[in-house]
Amino acid sequence: MSRPIVAVVGRPNVGKSTFFNKIVGRRVSIVEDTPGVTRDRIYAEAEWNGIKFDLIDTGGIEPDSKDIILSQMREQAQMAMDMADVILFIVDGKDGITTADEEVAGMLRRTGKKIILLVNKIDNPRKIPDNFYDFYALGLGEPIPVSSVNMLNLGDVLDDIVKSFPDNKYEETDDIKVSVIGKPNVGKSSLINALVNDNRVIVSPIAGTTRDAIDTPFEWEENKYLLIDTAGIRRKSKVNEDIERYSVIRSIAAIERCDVCLVLIDAEEGLTEQDKKIAGEAHEAGKGIVVVVNKWDFVHKETNTMRDYRRKIESELLFMSYAPVIFISALKKERLGEVMAMVKFVAEKRALRVPTGQLNSLIADAVLMNQPPADKGKRLKVYYATQIGVKPPLFAFSINDRELMHFSYARYLENKIRAAFGFEGTSIKFLFRERGEKK
């Protein structure tokens, strides 16, 4: 059974994201004094008294809005409410009760879920405003005064949350975490929606719609995955707003969290410098990488079009020649099975451990075939090698002089290891230690 889910809902700008960040203990949701900034559901793991649960921050609900984004925000919040075991309804203690609060309360009452009503922005517990008692009229039980900024009563709220779970015996999962990264509007959200067959991520023609990283758990052919859809990473020269800057930071953080990155490229636009930088972030982080060329259905095909396109990508991404390239159409759901099969394969390769005996036999043969470099009469000697880590694979080499280990020879050894043991889709890290050097 998965962890219990707690959804945080309410009107825009009542302090949901600040509350969310205090609970999970790190800055996950965007906090900005602009109504409607948090527009997609945000997942994060939280824990209280040894009990773990997933917390979902939703976009603010505006019941009567016809705006394309706000209307979709309502749908997102409704999905979160449908999924949740416990719903936290946050209202603004300074504004008092509003018509929107009353309508949202009506939505919540119909869920039949456990609802905890939080009156936020009560910064001084000794000065409860008179309008606080008006919130009893929402019919959601006793309101709890809280201050997300000052953490007033957050411990009591967390106690109420975990007491409300139907069963505290939840098992941890080893889901494969997949981060979908790329420039804005390359089809990241469309790909996730196609994979999970559920419009979990807002998709609209407005550039930059997805600003946050959203975690979406799902299964594919009996394997469990956690898809992380990220805000599109723009060039720094175009990062003008604080919100946009936070989104870029969060996209990089999403790369750090995942096992495998799907680097999406627009087939019509081709590989750009920004695509290379995004791929480089995943490579430097040591993640599994699958290059996914989306919108392939829009490309005019001739003989060898796919082969030539693949060769061009490989020539421009020489630093990660290990990454497989797959051509898809997220819109038409073409080759999605191939993508997921490769994700599983790459995740397995990233966790592969090579027996020390086989590794040293390979290295000995490689040294005999291609003599190590020398400088001023001193030649590099490779005494011993062992794999000391996985995810990514990390190999330690005992050598006589680190200065003699030229980049080209290290690449030669890497190629030999890849040829023998695979490691398709994942970077390999080397650690060179001089004999007698402390670990």
Side-chain angles (χ1 to χ4, degrees):
M1 185 181 295
S2 60
R3 288 191 297 265
I5 296 175
V6 179
V8 183
V9 301
R11 292 185 293 110
N13 220 31
V14 295
K16 297 186 303 299
S17 295
T18 302
F19 176 87
F20 179 89
N21 293 336
K22 293 290 186 181
I23 296 298
V24 301
R26 62 188 188 279
R27 187 165 188 161
V28 177
S29 280
I30 298 172
V31 181
E32 186 78 10
D33 290 330
T34 305
V37 164
T38 306
R39 297 183 297 189
D40 284 306
R41 287 173 292 156
I42 315 300
Y43 288 72
E45 179 185 296
E47 182 176 356
W48 184 248
N49 290 335
I51 300 173
K52 293 182 178 181
F53 58 93
D54 288 328
L55 193 64
I56 305 174
D57 183 19
T58 68
I61 305 173
E62 287 282 8
D64 291 328
S65 174
K66 300 299 188 292
D67 180 271
I68 181 173
I69 295 294
L70 290 178
S71 64
Q72 290 189 56
M73 283 164 51
R74 287 200 302 275
E75 295 177 7
Q76 297 296 299
Q78 184 63 57
M79 289 183 190
M81 289 188 286
D82 292 342
M83 295 170 60
D85 298 291
V86 178
I87 299 171
L88 305 180
F89 179 32
I90 299 185
V91 294
D92 192 322
K94 292 183 178 179
D95 289 348
I97 213 166
T98 67
T99 301
D101 290 330
E102 293 174 344
E103 294 191 26
V104 171
M107 292 175 62
L108 295 175
R109 285 195 299 268
R110 290 191 291 272
T111 66
K113 302 289 182 70
K114 169 65 177 179
I115 312 295
I116 299 177
L117 176 61
L118 306 180
V119 182
N120 194 27
K121 303 182 183 180
I122 308 297
D123 299 328
N124 188 342
R126 298 180 180 178
K127 294 182 179 180
I128 302 295
D130 292 338
N131 63 11
F132 173 84
Y133 302 98
D134 295 339
F135 290 104
Y136 280 91
L138 295 177
L140 295 173
E142 184 175 354
I144 302 175
V146 298
S147 170
S148 297
V149 174
N150 300 328
M151 300 183 71
L152 172 69
N153 286 338
L154 292 197
D156 292 340
V157 172
L158 286 164
D159 285 340
D160 285 348
I161 290 172
V162 297
K163 288 177 184 175
S164 303
F165 294 152
D167 184 357
N168 288 337
K169 297 179 180 179
Y170 290 85
E171 299 177 359
E172 286 296 312
T173 62
D174 294 321
D175 299 358
I176 298 174
K177 298 179 180 63
V178 184
S179 180
V180 184
I181 61 176
K183 302 191 309 294
N185 288 356
V186 293
K188 298 183 300 298
S189 297
S190 296
L191 174 57
I192 287 184
N193 289 341
L195 289 171
V196 302
N197 197 28
D198 177 8
N199 291 323
R200 301 236 181 147
V201 182
I202 294 173
V203 179
S204 81
I206 303 172
T209 298
T210 304
R211 296 182 178 179
D212 295 293
I214 307 111
D215 293 1
T216 305
F218 84 114
E219 292 188 14
W220 186 279
E221 294 184 352
E222 299 182 355
N223 295 298
K224 293 184 178 181
Y225 299 89
L226 191 69
L227 279 166
I228 306 171
D229 176 41
T230 64
I233 307 176
R234 300 179 187 273
R235 292 191 297 274
K236 286 186 178 180
S237 60
K238 291 190 176 181
V239 181
N240 297 320
E241 300 179 31
D242 285 343
I243 296 170
E244 188 73 24
R245 186 173 68 252
Y246 298 154
S247 297
V248 172
I249 294 171
R250 188 167 301 99
S251 296
I252 303 305
I255 292 173
E256 293 293 338
R257 290 176 49 213
C258 77
D259 300 306
V260 179
C261 287
L262 298 181
V263 181
L264 255 64
I265 295 172
D266 189 315
E268 292 183 292
E269 188 176 359
L271 189 69
T272 67
E273 286 301 314
Q274 185 66 359
D275 291 324
K276 296 177 187 177
K277 291 179 181 178
I278 293 169
E281 294 284 355
H283 170 75
E284 289 299 322
K287 303 301 177 179
I289 300 175
V290 180
V291 178
V292 180
V293 183
N294 190 26
K295 307 180 185 179
W296 189 242
D297 50 316
F298 291 119
V299 174
H300 174 69
K301 315 302 193 296
E302 295 180 355
T303 304
N304 298 325
T305 299
M306 183 180 291
R307 183 201 65 184
D308 294 342
Y309 204 111
R310 177 181 281 108
R311 286 179 176 176
K312 189 174 189 302
I313 290 176
E314 291 172 348
S315 67
E316 295 187 32
L317 295 177
L318 285 175
F319 63 91
M320 42 176 271
S321 57
Y322 55 82
V325 181
I326 299 177
F327 299 82
I328 72 161
S329 168
L331 190 64
K332 294 185 177 180
K333 300 185 178 181
E334 294 176 352
R335 298 190 183 91
L336 301 188
E338 189 176 344
V339 170
M340 294 312 300
M342 186 58 70
V343 166
K344 184 175 182 293
F345 178 76
V346 169
E348 291 171 349
K349 289 296 182 180
R350 191 166 175 262
L352 179 65
R353 190 175 291 275
V354 177
T356 301
Q358 293 182 29
L359 176 63
N360 279 279
S361 178
L362 172 74
I363 297 300
D365 289 343
V367 170
L368 286 175
M369 292 174 60
N370 185 2
Q371 200 171 46
D375 184 35
K376 297 178 181 179
K378 187 177 182 180
R379 186 170 299 280
L380 171 68
K381 293 181 180 180
V382 181
Y383 301 117
Y384 185 80
T386 184
Q387 185 176 355
I388 60 174
V390 294
K391 299 182 181 181
L394 174 61
F395 296 89
F397 290 79
S398 175
I399 60 178
N400 62 330
D401 190 337
R402 191 182 292 108
E403 295 296 324
L404 296 174
M405 179 56 78
H406 193 270
F407 168 80
S408 60
Y409 200 75
R411 176 59 62 89
Y412 164 73
L413 294 177
E414 177 182 337
N415 290 339
K416 287 296 182 181
I417 291 174
R418 287 189 181 279
F421 304 111
F423 293 112
E424 291 89 345
T426 182
S427 62
I428 293 177
K429 304 293 184 181
F430 284 172
L431 178 62
F432 298 108
R433 296 169 175 161
E434 295 180 4
R435 178 173 280 185
E437 183 177 320
K438 291 184 179 180
K439 296 182 180 180

